Amino acid sequence: MTKKQMVVKDNNLISATYSLGVAEQRLIFLAIIEAREQNKLINVGKSLRIYAKSYEKQFNVEKHTAYEAMKRAVEGLYEAGFAYSKTDEESGELGHYKSRWVDKIGYIDNLGCVELVFASDVVPLITRLERRYTEYELKQVSSLQSEYAIRLYELIIQWKSIGKTNKILLDDLRTMLGVDPEQYKKMCNFKAKVLDLAIKQINKYTDITADYEQHKDGRIITGFTFRFKVKKDKEKITTENKKRDVDTSDMFTVEGLNDAQLGRIARNPSFMADYNHLVSSTSPAGQDTKAWEFEMINRLKIDASQFKKRPIREYLQ
């Protein structure tokens, strides 16, 4: 079985503000995977080599094209920085920081590789992950051709367990996607060249289907909320159904149940007692009753198999 290539980032890095082209982002992905596959935390100052054959294989391009893209990315990454926020461990106060991606980066023609050293701020954001982080398979973004599509996928996949983001203010969304202040000032251009293009590619090439809701102040759009669903893996579902006993086929599924029935399940005191641990103190939904119900309905829709303490339909009684 082919080993999954997982991209893992601290959520502070996922939500950071930066602008990188497709090649630069792809090089970062490969470097993150290389760093984590060493089976130990990389040390600050540790160099990593990314070979053209890895880029070629992962992103389905010709070898020459792969290496030329990597060499161009060297210049972009050397100049690039990012801004991020994180909570100070000692004071508990929120700090705002700026950093560069790399301390050093270059290429070796005869080896067909790029060599880089991540900046000291980047290392803990991709390796020392103990609290809030996001993980996804590299193949999900491998076919995305828009830098905005890659960034938007990362931003919304943080909410995978819920299926819906919080409202993101327009200015915040533009900066997180790396849209230059002078670019796409008209909303029609921003939606056509950034949002709609990104959504189209995400829906076609990744494991989710997404759309967005506009928020307005009068006639002015002030922000967006993104909703998405994980695509069903038909092959996986078929295999699991074959293994499942016919008499218990609906024990842990919600097929045939509507939102009202799912809401009754979520409000059932026994259900709440059994699964209260699923909403942590860091959850966007918190412990609010309506938010709990909304989150649980979406979790049940996305993957009811995680609720295995009792058959789902017992909570309807």
Side-chain angles (χ1 to χ4, degrees), residues 23 27 30 49-56 65-75 105 107 112-114:
L27 197 57
L30 294 176
R49 286 185 176 179
I50 313 302
Y51 290 87
K53 61 183 179 181
S54 296
Y55 194 106
E56 171 192 3
T65 302
Y67 188 51
E68 288 303 313
M70 290 170 64
K71 288 174 67 174
R72 290 195 302 272
V74 165
E75 295 300 322
I105 188 169
Y107 54 87
C113 75
V114 165

Side-chain angles (χ1 to χ4, degrees), residues 51-286:
Y51 290 87
K53 61 183 179 181
S54 296
Y55 194 106
E56 171 192 3
K57 178 180 179 181
Q58 188 60 55
F59 303 111
N60 193 29
V61 297
E62 298 294 330
K63 184 175 182 180
H64 176 73
T65 302
Y67 188 51
E68 288 303 313
M70 290 170 64
K71 288 174 67 174
R72 290 195 302 272
V74 165
E75 295 300 322
L77 278 179
Y78 180 71
E79 299 293 339
F82 63 97
Y84 69 104
S85 302
K86 72 172 184 177
T87 302
D88 180 72
E89 293 183 358
E90 294 184 5
S91 66
E93 298 296 330
L94 187 66
H96 307 281
Y97 306 93
K98 290 186 176 182
S99 178
R100 291 192 173 276
W101 286 99
V102 296
D103 282 339
K104 181 177 71 173
I105 188 169
Y107 54 87
I108 306 173
D109 284 331
N110 289 341
L111 297 180
C113 75
V114 165
E115 184 173 281
L116 65 84
V117 176
F118 275 123
S120 58
D121 274 6
V122 175
V123 173
L125 295 175
I126 62 173
T127 59
R128 300 165 193 170
L129 304 173
E130 299 174 354
R131 297 179 183 176
R132 298 171 61 248
Y133 64 90
T134 296
E135 178 181 61
Y136 60 88
E137 284 189 76
L138 179 55
K139 71 177 184 179
Q140 302 304 336
V141 295
S142 293
S143 296
L144 299 180
Q145 299 298 317
S146 163
E147 60 264 42
Y148 305 128
I150 295 173
R151 286 292 288 133
L152 183 59
Y153 177 85
E154 286 192 331
L155 287 170
I156 66 179
I157 204 66
Q158 296 178 88
W159 305 78
K160 188 173 183 179
S161 65
I162 301 175
K164 173 181 175 292
T165 71
N166 277 348
K167 174 183 176 181
I168 305 177
L169 296 177
L170 175 60
D171 288 344
D172 292 341
L173 181 61
R174 286 178 61 94
T175 57
M176 287 189 288
L177 293 178
V179 179
D180 188 276
E182 299 303 313
Q183 284 184 303
Y184 313 126
K185 290 184 176 181
K186 293 183 178 180
M187 180 55 65
C188 60
N189 292 333
F190 175 71
K191 289 169 67 174
K193 301 294 185 180
V194 179
L195 282 191
D196 293 341
L197 175 63
I199 291 293
K200 182 178 180 180
Q201 290 192 15
I202 287 171
N203 290 348
K204 182 176 181 179
Y205 295 114
T206 75
D207 57 345
I208 62 173
T209 54
D211 58 17
Y212 59 81
E213 173 189 353
Q214 300 176 164
H215 299 279
K216 293 183 177 181
D217 183 359
R219 299 178 62 182
I220 300 175
I221 295 175
T222 58
F224 295 87
T225 296
F226 296 89
R227 300 176 184 273
F228 62 99
K229 294 182 179 180
V230 177
K231 295 175 184 176
K232 292 183 177 180
D233 187 330
K234 294 182 179 179
E235 182 178 349
K236 180 179 179 181
I237 292 173
T238 299
T239 301
E240 289 179 348
N241 285 342
K242 288 180 179 179
K243 293 179 180 179
R244 187 182 296 159
D245 186 280
V246 175
D247 293 331
T248 60
S249 62
D250 66 346
M251 285 182 66
F252 304 111
T253 70
V254 294
E255 294 178 8
L257 298 181
N258 57 36
D259 281 7
Q261 291 171 312
L262 295 178
R264 284 173 55 196
I265 291 172
R267 295 190 301 271
N268 186 303
S270 296
F271 181 88
M272 296 177 74
D274 285 344
Y275 299 108
N276 185 58
H277 65 281
L278 290 179
V279 180
S280 67
S281 60
T282 59
S283 169

Side-chain angles (χ1 to χ4, degrees), residues 30-49:
L30 294 176
I32 288 174
I33 290 171
E34 179 64 27
R36 295 184 63 80
E37 284 186 347
Q38 292 181 4
N39 295 321
K40 60 181 180 180
L41 300 180
I42 64 172
N43 298 318
V44 173
K46 174 78 172 181
S47 64
L48 299 165
R49 286 185 176 179

